[in-house]
Amino acid sequence: MNTMHSILLIAVMSAVVIFLRAVPFIIFRGNKTPAFIEYIGKYLPYAIMGMLLVYCFRETAIISWPHGLPELIAIFITAGLQVWRKQALLSIVVGTVSYMLLVQIAFA
């Protein structure tokens, strides 16, 4: 790929992202947000997190060793840290690192 092609790709992708971020502010400018949109904004993040959990653990082998123990321990660490500290980034990073350590070292 040449440089101009790369620059154009980045420019188009940037314009699309900016447009998509601005659309809700353009549509609902000065108007009351519809109840349906407020409902989606309230419950969709939880649904997405549930779907991510299912996606992440879809191939966990609970029949054979280690029976999903690294995943279960990492979930408890992540959830416990989130309840205790209420900092999502910290919970995600520590949970991910703990899972990697469990898989690579403890249950290798």
Side-chain angles (χ1 to χ4, degrees):
M1 276 197 316
N2 62 25
T3 306
M4 184 53 84
H5 186 257
S6 298
I7 291 171
L8 286 174
L9 281 175
I10 293 170
V12 169
M13 288 187 283
S14 300
V16 168
V17 168
I18 290 170
F19 173 74
L20 291 175
R21 299 275 175 135
V23 165
F25 296 103
I26 294 169
I27 292 174
F28 300 119
R29 182 181 348 150
N31 300 332
K32 183 174 178 348
T33 306
F36 178 70
I37 300 298
E38 288 183 6
Y39 176 81
I40 288 176
K42 184 176 181 182
Y43 293 107
L44 193 59
Y46 300 110
I48 291 171
M49 293 306 290
M51 288 175 59
L52 284 172
L53 271 172
V54 170
Y55 177 78
C56 288
F57 300 112
R58 73 188 185 283
E59 294 179 5
T60 300
I62 58 172
I63 296 174
S64 61
W65 176 254
H67 306 291
L69 285 175
E71 290 86 354
L72 192 61
I73 293 168
I75 287 172
F76 281 121
I77 289 172
T78 305
L81 194 57
Q82 178 62 27
V83 168
W84 177 46
R85 300 295 293 193
K86 296 187 181 5
Q87 294 182 0
L89 184 60
L90 178 67
S91 301
I92 292 168
V93 168
V94 171
T96 302
V97 169
S98 64
Y99 174 72
M100 286 296 135
L101 290 174
L102 287 167
V103 171
Q104 298 296 325
I105 297 171
F107 292 97

